[in-house]
Coordinates of all heavy atoms in Angstrom, one line a residue:
M6 N 14.4 3.8 4.7 CA 13.7 3.4 3.4 C 12.6 4.3 3.1 O 11.8 4.6 4.0 CB 13.3 1.9 3.5 CG 12.7 1.4 2.2 SD 12.3 -0.4 2.3 CE 11.1 -0.4 3.5
K7 N 12.4 4.6 1.8 CA 11.3 5.4 1.5 C 10.2 4.5 0.9 O 10.5 3.6 0.1 CB 11.7 6.4 0.4 CG 12.6 7.4 0.9 CD 13.0 8.4 -0.2 CE 13.8 9.5 0.4 NZ 14.2 10.6 -0.5
V8 N 8.9 4.7 1.4 CA 7.8 3.8 1.0 C 6.7 4.5 0.5 O 6.4 5.7 0.9 CB 7.4 2.9 2.2 CG1 8.6 2.0 2.7 CG2 6.7 3.6 3.3
G9 N 6.0 3.9 -0.4 CA 4.7 4.4 -0.9 C 3.6 3.4 -0.4 O 3.8 2.2 -0.6
I10 N 2.6 4.0 0.2 CA 1.5 3.1 0.7 C 0.2 3.2 -0.2 O -0.1 4.4 -0.5 CB 1.2 3.4 2.2 CG1 2.4 3.2 3.0 CG2 0.0 2.6 2.7 CD1 2.2 3.5 4.5
I11 N -0.3 2.1 -0.6 CA -1.5 2.0 -1.3 C -2.6 1.5 -0.4 O -2.4 0.6 0.3 CB -1.4 1.2 -2.6 CG1 -2.6 1.2 -3.5 CG2 -0.9 -0.3 -2.3 CD1 -2.7 2.3 -4.4
R12 N -3.8 2.2 -0.5 CA -4.9 1.8 0.5 C -6.2 1.6 -0.3 O -6.3 2.0 -1.5 CB -5.1 3.0 1.5 CG -5.5 4.3 0.9 CD -5.8 5.3 1.9 NE -6.7 4.9 2.9 CZ -7.2 5.6 3.9 NH1 -6.8 6.8 4.1 NH2 -8.0 5.1 4.8
C13 N -7.2 1.0 0.5 CA -8.4 0.8 -0.1 C -9.3 2.0 -0.1 O -9.5 2.6 0.9 CB -9.1 -0.4 0.7 SG -10.8 -0.7 0.3
Q14 N -9.8 2.4 -1.3 CA -10.7 3.6 -1.3 C -11.9 3.4 -0.4 O -12.5 4.3 0.1 CB -11.1 3.9 -2.7 CG -11.7 5.2 -2.8 CD -12.6 5.4 -4.1 OE1 -13.3 4.5 -4.4 NE2 -12.4 6.5 -4.8
Q15 N -12.4 2.1 -0.3 CA -13.7 1.9 0.4 C -13.5 2.1 1.9 O -14.6 2.3 2.6 CB -14.0 0.4 0.2 CG -14.3 0.0 -1.2 CD -15.7 0.4 -1.7 OE1 -16.7 0.2 -0.9 NE2 -15.8 0.8 -2.9
T16 N -12.4 2.3 2.4 CA -12.2 2.5 3.9 C -11.7 3.9 4.2 O -11.5 4.2 5.4 CB -11.2 1.4 4.5 OG1 -9.9 1.6 3.8 CG2 -11.7 0.0 4.3
E17 N -11.6 4.7 3.2 CA -11.1 6.1 3.5 C -12.0 6.8 4.4 O -11.6 7.7 5.2 CB -11.0 6.8 2.2 CG -9.7 6.6 1.4 CD -9.6 7.4 0.2 OE1 -10.6 7.7 -0.5 OE2 -8.4 7.7 -0.2
D18 N -13.3 6.5 4.4 CA -14.2 7.3 5.3 C -14.3 6.7 6.7 O -15.0 7.2 7.5 CB -15.6 7.4 4.7 CG -16.2 6.2 4.2 OD1 -15.5 5.1 4.4 OD2 -17.3 6.1 3.7
M19 N -13.6 5.6 7.0 CA -13.6 5.0 8.3 C -12.3 5.0 8.9 O -12.1 4.5 10.1 CB -14.3 3.7 8.3 CG -13.9 2.7 7.3 SD -14.8 1.2 7.5 CE -15.9 1.2 6.0
C20 N -11.2 5.4 8.2 CA -9.8 5.3 8.7 C -9.0 6.3 8.0 O -8.8 6.4 6.8 CB -9.3 3.9 8.5 SG -7.5 3.8 8.9
P21 N -8.3 7.2 8.8 CA -7.4 8.2 8.2 C -6.0 7.7 7.9 O -5.2 8.4 7.5 CB -7.4 9.3 9.3 CG -7.6 8.6 10.6 CD -8.5 7.4 10.3
G22 N -5.7 6.4 8.3 CA -4.4 5.8 8.1 C -3.4 6.1 9.2 O -2.2 5.8 8.9
N23 N -3.8 6.6 10.2 CA -2.8 7.1 11.3 C -1.9 5.9 11.7 O -0.7 6.1 12.0 CB -3.6 7.7 12.5 CG -4.7 6.9 13.1 OD1 -5.6 6.5 12.3 ND2 -4.6 6.6 14.3
T24 N -2.5 4.7 11.9 CA -1.7 3.6 12.4 C -0.7 3.2 11.3 O 0.5 2.7 11.7 CB -2.6 2.3 12.8 OG1 -3.6 2.9 13.6 CG2 -1.7 1.4 13.5
D25 N -0.9 3.3 10.1 CA 0.1 3.0 9.0 C 1.3 4.0 9.2 O 2.4 3.5 9.1 CB -0.5 3.3 7.6 CG -1.7 2.4 7.4 OD1 -1.7 1.2 7.7 OD2 -2.7 2.9 6.8
F26 N 1.0 5.3 9.4 CA 2.1 6.3 9.6 C 2.8 6.0 10.8 O 4.1 6.1 10.8 CB 1.5 7.7 9.6 CG 1.0 8.2 8.2 CD1 -0.3 8.1 7.8 CD2 1.9 8.8 7.3 CE1 -0.7 8.6 6.6 CE2 1.6 9.3 6.1 CZ 0.2 9.1 5.7
K27 N 2.2 5.6 11.9 CA 2.9 5.3 13.1 C 3.8 4.2 13.0 O 5.0 4.1 13.4 CB 1.8 5.0 14.2 CG 1.5 6.3 15.1 CD 0.7 5.7 16.3 CE -0.3 6.8 16.7 NZ -1.3 6.3 17.6
A28 N 3.2 3.1 12.4 CA 4.1 1.8 12.3 C 5.3 2.1 11.4 O 6.4 1.6 11.6 CB 3.2 0.7 11.7
A29 N 5.1 2.9 10.3 CA 6.2 3.2 9.4 C 7.3 3.9 10.1 O 8.5 3.6 10.0 CB 5.7 3.8 8.1
A30 N 6.9 5.0 10.8 CA 7.8 5.9 11.4 C 8.6 5.2 12.5 O 9.8 5.4 12.7 CB 7.1 7.1 12.0
A31 N 7.9 4.3 13.2 CA 8.6 3.5 14.3 C 9.4 2.3 13.9 O 10.1 1.7 14.6 CB 7.6 3.2 15.3
G32 N 9.1 1.9 12.6 CA 9.8 0.7 12.2 C 9.1 -0.5 12.9 O 9.8 -1.5 13.2
K33 N 7.8 -0.5 13.1 CA 7.2 -1.6 13.9 C 6.3 -2.3 12.9 O 6.0 -2.0 11.8 CB 6.4 -1.0 15.1 CG 7.2 -0.3 16.0 CD 7.9 -1.2 17.0 CE 8.6 -0.4 18.1 NZ 9.6 -1.2 18.8
M34 N 5.8 -3.4 13.4 CA 4.8 -4.3 12.7 C 5.4 -4.7 11.4 O 6.4 -5.3 11.3 CB 3.4 -3.7 12.7 CG 3.0 -3.3 14.1 SD 1.6 -2.3 14.4 CE 0.5 -3.5 15.0
A35 N 4.7 -4.3 10.2 CA 5.2 -4.8 8.9 C 6.5 -4.2 8.6 O 7.2 -4.6 7.6 CB 4.2 -4.4 7.9
F36 N 6.9 -3.1 9.4 CA 8.3 -2.5 9.1 C 9.4 -2.9 10.0 O 10.4 -2.3 10.0 CB 8.0 -0.9 9.2 CG 6.9 -0.5 8.3 CD1 5.6 -0.4 8.7 CD2 7.2 -0.1 7.0 CE1 4.6 0.1 7.9 CE2 6.2 0.3 6.1 CZ 4.9 0.4 6.6
E37 N 9.2 -4.0 10.8 CA 10.2 -4.5 11.6 C 11.5 -4.8 10.9 O 12.5 -4.5 11.4 CB 9.7 -5.8 12.3 CG 8.6 -5.6 13.3 CD 9.0 -5.4 14.7 OE1 10.2 -5.2 15.0 OE2 8.2 -5.3 15.6
E38 N 11.3 -5.5 9.7 CA 12.5 -5.9 9.0 C 13.2 -4.8 8.3 O 14.5 -4.7 8.3 CB 12.0 -7.0 7.9 CG 12.8 -8.2 7.9 CD 12.3 -9.2 7.0 OE1 12.6 -9.1 5.7 OE2 11.5 -10.1 7.4
S39 N 12.5 -3.9 7.7 CA 13.0 -2.8 7.0 C 13.5 -1.6 7.9 O 14.4 -0.9 7.5 CB 12.0 -2.2 5.9 OG 10.9 -1.8 6.6
G40 N 13.0 -1.5 9.1 CA 13.3 -0.4 10.0 C 12.5 0.8 9.7 O 11.6 0.7 8.8
P41 N 12.7 1.9 10.4 CA 11.8 3.1 10.2 C 11.7 3.5 8.8 O 12.8 3.6 8.1 CB 12.5 4.1 11.2 CG 13.2 3.3 12.2 CD 13.7 2.1 11.5
A42 N 10.5 3.8 8.3 CA 10.4 4.2 6.9 C 9.8 5.6 6.8 O 9.0 6.0 7.6 CB 9.5 3.1 6.3
E43 N 10.2 6.2 5.7 CA 9.6 7.5 5.4 C 8.5 7.3 4.4 O 8.7 6.7 3.3 CB 10.7 8.5 4.8 CG 10.1 9.8 4.4 CD 11.2 10.7 3.6 OE1 12.4 10.2 3.6 OE2 10.8 11.6 3.0
V44 N 7.3 7.8 4.6 CA 6.2 7.6 3.7 C 6.2 8.8 2.7 O 6.0 9.9 3.1 CB 4.8 7.6 4.5 CG1 3.7 7.4 3.5 CG2 4.8 6.5 5.5
V45 N 6.5 8.4 1.5 CA 6.6 9.4 0.4 C 5.3 9.6 -0.4 O 5.3 10.5 -1.2 CB 7.8 9.2 -0.5 CG1 9.1 9.2 0.2 CG2 7.7 7.8 -1.3
G46 N 4.4 8.7 -0.2 CA 3.1 8.7 -0.9 C 2.1 7.9 -0.1 O 2.5 6.8 0.4
F47 N 0.8 8.3 0.0 CA -0.1 7.5 0.6 C -1.4 7.7 -0.2 O -2.1 8.8 -0.1 CB -0.4 8.1 2.0 CG -1.2 7.3 2.9 CD1 -0.8 6.1 3.5 CD2 -2.5 7.7 3.2 CE1 -1.6 5.4 4.4 CE2 -3.3 7.0 4.0 CZ -2.9 5.9 4.6
V48 N -1.7 6.8 -1.1 CA -2.8 7.1 -2.0 C -3.8 5.9 -2.0 O -3.4 4.7 -1.7 CB -2.3 7.3 -3.4 CG1 -1.4 8.5 -3.5 CG2 -1.6 6.1 -4.0
S49 N -5.0 6.1 -2.5 CA -5.9 5.0 -2.6 C -5.9 4.3 -3.9 O -5.3 4.8 -4.9 CB -7.4 5.5 -2.3 OG -8.0 5.9 -3.5
C50 N -6.6 3.1 -4.0 CA -6.6 2.4 -5.3 C -7.6 3.1 -6.2 O -7.7 2.6 -7.4 CB -7.1 1.0 -5.0 SG -8.8 1.0 -4.5
V51 N -8.4 4.0 -5.8 CA -9.3 4.8 -6.7 C -10.6 3.9 -6.9 O -11.4 4.1 -7.8 CB -8.8 5.3 -8.0 CG1 -9.6 6.5 -8.5 CG2 -7.3 5.8 -7.9
G52 N -10.8 2.9 -6.1 CA -12.0 2.1 -6.2 C -11.9 0.8 -7.0 O -11.0 0.6 -7.8
C53 N -12.9 -0.1 -6.8 CA -12.9 -1.4 -7.4 C -12.9 -1.2 -8.9 O -13.7 -0.4 -9.4 CB -14.1 -2.2 -6.9 SG -14.1 -2.4 -5.1
P54 N -12.2 -2.1 -9.6 CA -11.5 -3.2 -9.1 C -10.0 -3.0 -8.9 O -9.2 -3.9 -8.8 CB -11.7 -4.3 -10.2 CG -11.6 -3.5 -11.5 CD -12.3 -2.2 -11.1
G55 N -9.6 -1.7 -8.7 CA -8.2 -1.4 -8.3 C -7.3 -1.2 -9.5 O -6.1 -1.1 -9.3
K56 N -7.8 -1.1 -10.7 CA -7.0 -0.9 -11.9 C -6.1 0.3 -11.8 O -5.0 0.4 -12.2 CB -7.8 -0.8 -13.2 CG -8.4 -2.1 -13.6 CD -9.2 -1.8 -14.9 CE -9.9 -3.0 -15.4 NZ -10.6 -2.9 -16.7
R57 N -6.7 1.4 -11.3 CA -6.0 2.7 -11.3 C -4.9 2.8 -10.2 O -4.2 3.7 -10.1 CB -7.0 3.8 -11.2 CG -7.8 4.0 -12.5 CD -8.8 5.0 -12.5 NE -8.2 6.4 -12.3 CZ -8.9 7.4 -11.8 NH1 -10.2 7.3 -11.6 NH2 -8.3 8.6 -11.7
A58 N -4.8 1.7 -9.4 CA -3.8 1.6 -8.4 C -2.4 1.5 -9.1 O -1.4 2.0 -8.6 CB -4.0 0.5 -7.4
V59 N -2.4 0.8 -10.3 CA -1.2 0.5 -11.0 C -0.5 1.9 -11.3 O 0.7 2.1 -11.0 CB -1.5 -0.3 -12.2 CG1 -0.2 -0.7 -12.9 CG2 -2.1 -1.7 -11.7
P60 N -1.1 2.7 -12.1 CA -0.3 4.0 -12.4 C 0.0 4.9 -11.2 O 1.0 5.6 -11.1 CB -1.3 4.8 -13.4 CG -2.6 4.1 -13.2 CD -2.4 2.8 -12.8
R61 N -0.9 4.8 -10.2 CA -0.6 5.6 -8.9 C 0.6 5.0 -8.2 O 1.4 5.8 -7.7 CB -1.8 5.5 -8.0 CG -3.0 6.4 -8.5 CD -4.0 6.5 -7.5 NE -4.7 7.7 -7.6 CZ -5.5 8.4 -6.8 NH1 -5.7 7.8 -5.6 NH2 -6.0 9.5 -7.1
V62 N 0.8 3.7 -8.2 CA 2.0 3.1 -7.6 C 3.2 3.5 -8.4 O 4.2 3.9 -7.8 CB 1.8 1.6 -7.5 CG1 3.1 0.9 -7.2 CG2 0.8 1.2 -6.4
K63 N 3.1 3.4 -9.7 CA 4.2 3.8 -10.5 C 4.7 5.2 -10.3 O 5.9 5.5 -10.2 CB 3.8 3.6 -12.0 CG 4.8 4.0 -13.0 CD 6.0 3.0 -13.0 CE 6.9 3.2 -14.2 NZ 7.6 4.5 -14.4
L64 N 3.7 6.1 -10.0 CA 4.0 7.5 -9.8 C 4.8 7.5 -8.5 O 5.8 8.4 -8.4 CB 2.7 8.3 -9.7 CG 2.8 9.8 -9.8 CD1 3.6 10.3 -11.0 CD2 1.4 10.4 -9.7
M65 N 4.4 6.8 -7.5 CA 5.1 6.8 -6.2 C 6.5 6.4 -6.4 O 7.4 6.9 -5.7 CB 4.3 6.0 -5.1 CG 3.0 6.7 -4.7 SD 2.3 6.0 -3.1 CE 1.8 4.4 -3.7
V66 N 6.7 5.3 -7.2 CA 8.1 4.8 -7.4 C 8.9 5.9 -8.2 O 10.0 6.1 -7.8 CB 8.0 3.4 -8.2 CG1 9.4 3.1 -8.8 CG2 7.4 2.3 -7.4
D67 N 8.2 6.5 -9.1 CA 9.0 7.6 -9.9 C 9.4 8.8 -9.0 O 10.3 9.4 -9.2 CB 8.1 8.1 -11.0 CG 7.9 7.1 -12.1 OD1 8.7 6.1 -12.2 OD2 7.0 7.3 -13.0
R68 N 8.6 8.9 -7.9 CA 8.9 10.0 -6.9 C 9.7 9.6 -5.8 O 9.8 10.3 -4.8 CB 7.6 10.6 -6.5 CG 6.7 11.2 -7.5 CD 7.2 12.5 -8.1 NE 6.4 13.0 -9.2 CZ 5.4 13.8 -9.1 NH1 5.1 14.3 -7.9 NH2 4.7 14.1 -10.2
G69 N 10.3 8.4 -5.9 CA 11.3 8.0 -4.9 C 11.0 6.8 -4.0 O 11.8 6.4 -3.1
A70 N 9.8 6.2 -4.1 CA 9.5 5.0 -3.2 C 10.4 3.9 -3.6 O 10.5 3.5 -4.7 CB 8.0 4.6 -3.4
E71 N 11.0 3.3 -2.5 CA 11.9 2.1 -2.7 C 11.1 0.9 -2.5 O 11.6 -0.2 -2.8 CB 13.1 2.3 -1.8 CG 13.9 3.5 -2.1 CD 14.8 3.9 -0.9 OE1 14.3 4.1 0.2 OE2 16.0 4.0 -1.0
A72 N 10.0 1.0 -1.8 CA 9.2 -0.2 -1.5 C 7.7 0.3 -1.6 O 7.3 1.5 -1.4 CB 9.4 -0.7 -0.1
I73 N 6.9 -0.6 -2.1 CA 5.4 -0.3 -2.0 C 4.7 -1.3 -1.0 O 5.0 -2.4 -0.9 CB 4.8 -0.7 -3.5 CG1 5.3 0.3 -4.5 CG2 3.3 -0.7 -3.5 CD1 5.0 1.8 -4.2
V74 N 3.9 -0.6 -0.2 CA 3.2 -1.3 0.9 C 1.7 -1.3 0.7 O 1.1 -0.2 0.4 CB 3.6 -0.5 2.2 CG1 3.1 -1.4 3.4 CG2 5.1 -0.3 2.4
F75 N 1.2 -2.4 0.8 CA -0.3 -2.5 0.7 C -0.8 -2.3 2.1 O -0.4 -3.1 3.1 CB -0.8 -3.9 0.2 CG -0.6 -4.0 -1.3 CD1 0.6 -4.6 -1.8 CD2 -1.5 -3.6 -2.2 CE1 0.9 -4.7 -3.2 CE2 -1.3 -3.8 -3.6 CZ -0.2 -4.3 -4.1
A76 N -1.6 -1.4 2.3 CA -2.2 -1.1 3.7 C -3.0 -2.4 4.1 O -3.6 -3.1 3.3 CB -3.0 0.2 3.7
S77 N -3.1 -2.5 5.4 CA -3.8 -3.7 5.9 C -5.4 -3.7 5.6 O -6.0 -4.7 5.6 CB -3.6 -3.9 7.4 OG -2.3 -4.2 7.6
C78 N -5.9 -2.5 5.2 CA -7.3 -2.5 4.8 C -7.4 -3.3 3.5 O -8.5 -3.9 3.2 CB -7.7 -1.1 4.5 SG -6.7 0.0 3.5
I79 N -6.4 -3.4 2.7 CA -6.5 -4.2 1.4 C -6.3 -5.7 1.8 O -7.1 -6.5 1.4 CB -5.4 -3.7 0.4 CG1 -5.7 -2.3 0.0 CG2 -5.4 -4.6 -0.8 CD1 -4.8 -1.7 -1.1
S80 N -5.2 -6.0 2.4 CA -4.8 -7.4 2.5 C -5.5 -8.1 3.7 O -5.7 -9.3 3.6 CB -3.3 -7.5 2.6 OG -2.8 -6.7 3.7
K81 N -5.8 -7.3 4.7 CA -6.3 -8.0 5.9 C -7.8 -7.6 6.2 O -8.4 -8.1 7.0 CB -5.5 -7.7 7.1 CG -4.1 -8.3 7.1 CD -3.1 -7.8 8.1 CE -3.4 -8.1 9.5 NZ -2.3 -7.7 10.4
G82 N -8.2 -6.5 5.5 CA -9.6 -6.1 5.7 C -9.9 -5.2 6.8 O -11.0 -5.0 7.2
N83 N -8.8 -4.7 7.4 CA -9.0 -3.7 8.5 C -9.8 -2.5 8.0 O -9.6 -2.1 6.9 CB -7.6 -3.2 9.0 CG -6.7 -4.2 9.6 OD1 -7.0 -5.4 9.5 ND2 -5.7 -3.8 10.3
P84 N -10.6 -1.8 8.8 CA -10.9 -2.2 10.2 C -12.1 -3.1 10.4 O -12.5 -3.3 11.5 CB -11.1 -0.8 10.8 CG -11.7 0.0 9.7 CD -11.2 -0.6 8.4
I85 N -12.8 -3.5 9.3 CA -14.1 -4.2 9.5 C -14.0 -5.6 9.1 O -15.1 -6.3 9.0 CB -15.3 -3.4 8.7 CG1 -14.9 -3.3 7.3 CG2 -15.5 -2.1 9.4 CD1 -16.1 -2.8 6.5
G86 N -12.9 -6.1 8.7 CA -12.7 -7.6 8.4 C -13.2 -7.9 7.0 O -13.4 -9.1 6.7
V87 N -13.2 -7.0 6.1 CA -13.5 -7.3 4.7 C -12.3 -6.9 3.8 O -12.0 -5.8 3.5 CB -14.7 -6.4 4.1 CG1 -15.0 -6.9 2.7 CG2 -15.9 -6.7 5.1
A88 N -11.5 -8.0 3.5 CA -10.3 -7.8 2.7 C -10.7 -7.6 1.2 O -11.8 -7.9 0.8 CB -9.4 -9.1 2.8
C89 N -9.7 -7.0 0.4 CA -10.0 -6.7 -1.0 C -10.1 -8.0 -1.8 O -9.1 -8.7 -1.8 CB -8.9 -5.8 -1.5 SG -9.0 -5.6 -3.3
P90 N -11.2 -8.2 -2.5 CA -11.3 -9.4 -3.3 C -10.4 -9.3 -4.6 O -10.2 -10.3 -5.3 CB -12.8 -9.4 -3.7 CG -13.2 -8.0 -3.6 CD -12.4 -7.4 -2.6
H91 N -9.8 -8.1 -4.8 CA -9.0 -7.9 -6.0 C -7.5 -7.9 -5.7 O -6.7 -7.6 -6.5 CB -9.4 -6.7 -6.7 CG -10.9 -6.6 -7.0 ND1 -11.5 -7.4 -8.0 CD2 -11.8 -5.9 -6.5 CE1 -12.7 -7.1 -8.0 NE2 -13.0 -6.2 -7.1
F92 N -7.2 -8.2 -4.4 CA -5.8 -8.0 -4.0 C -4.8 -8.7 -4.8 O -3.8 -8.1 -5.3 CB -5.6 -8.4 -2.5 CG -4.3 -8.3 -1.9 CD1 -3.4 -7.3 -2.2 CD2 -3.8 -9.4 -1.1 CE1 -2.1 -7.2 -1.7 CE2 -2.6 -9.3 -0.6 CZ -1.7 -8.2 -0.8
A93 N -5.0 -10.0 -5.1 CA -4.0 -10.8 -5.8 C -3.8 -10.3 -7.2 O -2.6 -10.2 -7.7 CB -4.4 -12.3 -5.8
T94 N -4.9 -10.0 -7.8 CA -4.8 -9.5 -9.3 C -4.1 -8.1 -9.2 O -3.2 -7.8 -10.1 CB -6.2 -9.3 -9.9 OG1 -6.9 -10.5 -9.7 CG2 -6.1 -9.0 -11.3
M95 N -4.5 -7.2 -8.3 CA -3.9 -5.9 -8.3 C -2.4 -6.0 -7.9 O -1.6 -5.3 -8.6 CB -4.6 -5.1 -7.2 CG -4.3 -3.6 -7.2 SD -5.0 -2.6 -5.8 CE -6.1 -3.6 -5.0
R96 N -2.1 -6.8 -7.1 CA -0.6 -7.0 -6.7 C 0.2 -7.4 -7.8 O 1.3 -6.9 -8.1 CB -0.5 -8.1 -5.5 CG 0.8 -8.1 -4.9 CD 0.8 -9.2 -3.9 NE 2.1 -9.3 -3.1 CZ 3.3 -9.6 -3.5 NH1 3.4 -10.0 -4.7 NH2 4.3 -9.6 -2.7
E97 N -0.4 -8.4 -8.6 CA 0.3 -9.0 -9.7 C 0.5 -7.9 -10.8 O 1.6 -7.8 -11.3 CB -0.5 -10.1 -10.3 CG 0.3 -11.0 -11.2 CD -0.6 -12.1 -11.8 OE1 -1.5 -12.6 -11.1 OE2 -0.6 -12.4 -13.0
A98 N -0.4 -7.2 -11.1 CA -0.3 -6.0 -12.0 C 0.6 -5.0 -11.6 O 1.4 -4.5 -12.4 CB -1.7 -5.4 -12.3
I99 N 0.7 -4.8 -10.3 CA 1.7 -3.7 -9.8 C 3.1 -4.2 -9.8 O 4.0 -3.5 -10.3 CB 1.3 -3.3 -8.3 CG1 0.0 -2.4 -8.4 CG2 2.4 -2.7 -7.6 CD1 -0.6 -2.2 -7.0
V100 N 3.3 -5.5 -9.6 CA 4.7 -6.0 -9.6 C 5.1 -6.0 -11.1 O 6.3 -5.7 -11.3 CB 4.7 -7.5 -9.0 CG1 6.0 -8.2 -9.4 CG2 4.5 -7.5 -7.5
K101 N 4.3 -6.3 -11.9 CA 4.6 -6.3 -13.4 C 5.0 -4.9 -13.8 O 5.9 -4.8 -14.6 CB 3.4 -6.8 -14.1 CG 3.7 -7.3 -15.6 CD 2.5 -8.0 -16.2 CE 2.6 -8.0 -17.7 NZ 1.3 -8.5 -18.3
K102 N 4.2 -3.9 -13.3 CA 4.5 -2.6 -13.7 C 5.8 -2.0 -13.2 O 6.6 -1.3 -13.9 CB 3.3 -1.7 -13.3 CG 3.4 -0.3 -13.7 CD 3.1 -0.1 -15.2 CE 3.0 1.3 -15.7 NZ 2.8 1.4 -17.1
V103 N 6.1 -2.2 -11.8 CA 7.2 -1.6 -11.2 C 8.5 -2.4 -11.3 O 9.6 -1.9 -11.0 CB 6.9 -1.2 -9.7 CG1 5.7 -0.2 -9.7 CG2 6.7 -2.3 -8.8
G104 N 8.4 -3.7 -11.6 CA 9.6 -4.6 -11.6 C 10.0 -5.2 -10.3 O 9.5 -4.7 -9.3
D105 N 11.0 -6.1 -10.4 CA 11.4 -6.8 -9.2 C 12.3 -6.1 -8.2 O 12.4 -6.5 -7.1 CB 12.2 -8.1 -9.7 CG 11.3 -9.1 -10.4 OD1 10.1 -9.1 -10.1 OD2 11.8 -9.9 -11.1
E106 N 12.9 -4.9 -8.7 CA 13.7 -4.2 -7.8 C 13.0 -3.5 -6.7 O 13.6 -3.2 -5.6 CB 14.6 -3.1 -8.5 CG 15.4 -3.7 -9.7 CD 14.6 -3.7 -11.0 OE1 14.1 -2.6 -11.3 OE2 14.5 -4.7 -11.6
I107 N 11.7 -3.2 -6.9 CA 10.9 -2.6 -5.8 C 10.4 -3.7 -5.0 O 9.6 -4.5 -5.3 CB 9.8 -1.7 -6.6 CG1 10.3 -0.7 -7.5 CG2 8.8 -1.1 -5.4 CD1 11.2 0.4 -6.8
Q108 N 10.7 -3.4 -3.7 CA 10.2 -4.4 -2.6 C 8.6 -4.2 -2.4 O 8.2 -3.0 -2.5 CB 11.0 -4.1 -1.3 CG 10.6 -5.1 -0.2 CD 11.2 -4.7 1.2 OE1 12.1 -3.8 1.2 NE2 10.8 -5.4 2.1
I109 N 8.0 -5.3 -2.2 CA 6.6 -5.2 -1.9 C 6.3 -5.7 -0.5 O 6.8 -6.8 -0.2 CB 5.8 -6.1 -2.9 CG1 6.0 -5.7 -4.4 CG2 4.3 -6.0 -2.6 CD1 5.4 -4.4 -4.8
I110 N 5.6 -5.0 0.3 CA 5.3 -5.4 1.6 C 3.7 -5.5 1.6 O 3.0 -4.5 1.2 CB 5.8 -4.4 2.7 CG1 7.3 -4.3 2.6 CG2 5.2 -4.8 4.1 CD1 7.9 -3.2 3.5
D111 N 3.2 -6.6 2.1 CA 1.8 -6.9 1.9 C 0.8 -6.4 2.9 O -0.4 -6.7 2.8 CB 1.6 -8.4 1.8 CG 2.1 -9.0 0.4 OD1 2.1 -8.2 -0.6 OD2 2.5 -10.1 0.3
W112 N 1.3 -5.8 4.0 CA 0.5 -5.3 5.1 C 1.2 -4.2 5.8 O 2.4 -3.9 5.6 CB 0.2 -6.5 6.1 CG 1.3 -7.0 6.7 CD1 2.4 -7.7 6.1 CD2 1.6 -7.0 8.1 NE1 3.3 -8.0 7.1 CE2 2.9 -7.6 8.3 CE3 1.1 -6.4 9.3 CZ2 3.5 -7.8 9.5 CZ3 1.7 -6.6 10.5 CH2 2.9 -7.2 10.6
T113 N 0.5 -3.5 6.7 CA 1.1 -2.4 7.4 C 1.1 -2.7 8.9 O 2.1 -2.6 9.6 CB 0.4 -1.0 7.2 OG1 -1.0 -1.3 7.3 CG2 0.8 -0.5 5.8
H114 N 0.0 -3.1 9.5 CA -0.1 -3.3 10.9 C -1.2 -4.4 11.2 O -1.9 -4.8 10.4 CB -0.5 -2.0 11.6 CG -1.8 -1.4 11.2 ND1 -3.0 -1.8 11.8 CD2 -2.1 -0.5 10.2 CE1 -4.0 -1.2 11.1 NE2 -3.5 -0.3 10.2
Ligands
SF4_204 S1 -10.3 -2.7 -5.3 FE1 -9.9 -3.6 -3.3 S2 -8.7 -2.1 -2.3 FE2 -9.7 -1.0 -4.0 S3 -11.6 -0.2 -3.3 FE3 -12.1 -2.2 -4.1 S4 -12.0 -3.5 -2.2 FE4 -10.8 -1.6 -1.8

């Protein structure tokens, strides 16, 4: 499966996303069900409140992503325990934009 990962801009300076890539390639953690995944895009939300994540996600879908994955920095607050306060709103806007055929995975590891 080809996936596009969206990440929190606020954590880019404390995490290069290596565990996301490892989990996707190995089909582990959030990718257990889908199996090994190829990451076709890895982009940030462009900062609070995450509005610009919507066109960025659409672009990843247009370029072949079959599923959109929210990195755990957004949904779980990795690595410092501060989850995104805009996650639910951002997720809803993204689902509305890309439609139901695109699978959404809410975490990475
Ligand atoms: S909107 Fe959420 S994911 Fe984006 S920078 Fe702000 S806290 Fe991070």
